[in-house]
Amino acid sequence: MEFKEAMMHRRSRYELTSTSPLNPDQLKALLVHALNHTPSAYNAQGGRLLLALNEHHQAIWDALIALLKTRQSEERFAKSKAKIEQFKKAYGTVLFFNDLNVIKEYQKKYPKYAEQTELWSQQSHGMLQYVVWTSFADAKIGASLQHYNPLIDDAIKSLFAVPDSWKLTAQMPFGIAKGSPKEKHFKPIETRLKVFE
Ligand SMILES: Cc1cc2nc3c(=O)[nH]c(=O)nc-3n(C[C@H](O)[C@H](O)[C@H](O)COP(=O)(O)O)c2cc1C
């Protein structure tokens, strides 16, 4: 796919199947490519990814269902559960983390820019999410970006024994998508783009 086409194909896809055109090794290669080629301030490379497949993928969404069950009314929980079951039906989940130790390291190294370092780290992290999401679209894999952190932070830590410095930022369930994405509306371009020529 051309990059522009992949940009258009990257949409929030919620109805996912438990199939993938890429096998685990190919998925791993896609993530390695994203990690290596996404820019980061100071080339700090503080983004971290975790690829959860099979029972590891399912355990994430089961943990979330168990947490919500104790926190929501019966009616609200029924709706949440139906939504989360959709994520569980996907092929896998990519967990995104930002390594706080890397931010601290560069704040120490460049104290003059300490305040901006965290912001730059988040900007780079958004790029990493976009690169993974668009690379999935390029491989004909549908995905969405979910934020059940910080609610599931502890559950994720105990499921995967990730280092304490890894801060969970997002969850991306993925698989071959069913149906079509929602129609997308665009706000007036004049309010979003200024050109001086
Ligand atoms: C930083 C960020 C946070 C988002 N958080 C969520 C989320 O928690 N749950 C969700 O379903 N979609 C989330 N989205 C997806 C947006 O709602 C979606 O990208 C937007 O409506 C445009 O639709 P599209 O992705 O199909 O182009 C998020 C997107 C971004 C960029």
Side-chain angles (χ1 to χ4, degrees):
M1 244 188 237
E2 292 281 333
F3 182 59
K4 273 195 203 164
E5 215 185 322
M7 281 172 78
M8 279 183 0
H9 278 86
R10 183 228 50 82
R11 296 294 315 278
S12 294
R13 306 300 300 266
Y14 300 98
E15 240 194 298
L16 302 169
T17 65
S18 61
T19 52
S20 163
L22 301 187
N23 65 32
D25 281 345
Q26 291 169 318
L27 286 167
K28 191 179 151 196
L30 181 152
L31 298 181
V32 169
H33 199 76
L35 282 167
N36 285 345
H37 298 290
T38 300
S40 55
Y42 306 118
N43 196 23
Q45 302 173 29
R48 305 286 181 259
L49 300 176
L50 189 154
L51 174 63
L53 300 175
N54 305 305
E55 71 272 21
H56 305 287
H57 151 73
Q58 305 219 334
I60 294 168
W61 303 106
D62 281 339
L64 176 61
I65 290 172
L67 280 165
L68 291 178
K69 193 169 188 207
T70 61
R71 279 170 174 75
Q72 295 186 330
S73 68
E74 232 172 86
E75 196 186 336
R76 177 107 194 272
F77 175 67
K79 279 191 191 150
S80 302
K81 188 168 180 250
K83 189 174 161 194
I84 296 159
E85 294 282 3
Q86 274 197 319
F87 303 141
K88 195 179 156 185
K89 279 187 200 150
Y91 180 79
T93 302
V94 175
L95 297 179
F96 290 83
F97 303 85
N98 212 350
D99 192 336
L100 301 181
N101 279 351
V102 176
I103 300 176
K104 282 189 202 142
E105 181 192 335
Y106 282 88
Q107 282 175 328
K108 246 192 217 160
K109 217 166 166 181
Y110 301 102
K112 201 171 155 198
Y113 299 110
E115 223 175 285
Q116 286 97 320
T117 301
E118 186 171 355
L119 204 67
W120 291 338
S121 156
Q122 285 176 20
Q123 289 171 0
S124 170
H125 202 73
M127 292 183 191
L128 177 62
Q129 292 173 355
Y130 181 74
V131 168
V132 171
W133 202 350
T134 308
S135 302
F136 274 161
D138 181 50
K140 301 206 166 29
I141 293 174
S144 74
L145 191 66
Q146 300 302 319
H147 294 93
Y148 289 100
N149 46 295
L151 178 65
I152 54 164
D153 287 11
D154 289 343
I156 296 297
K157 285 222 159 99
S158 64
L159 279 173
F160 301 109
V162 291
D164 275 344
S165 63
W166 287 27
K167 187 175 161 42
L168 183 66
T169 61
Q171 306 81 51
M172 186 173 279
F174 67 90
I176 291 181
K178 282 200 260 187
S180 317
K182 254 190 357 196
E183 196 187 339
K184 192 165 176 176
H185 300 284
F186 299 101
K187 294 193 174 166
I189 200 67
E190 314 81 69
T191 62
R192 300 186 289 139
L193 174 69
K194 283 188 193 297
V195 177
F196 295 85
E197 59 181 346

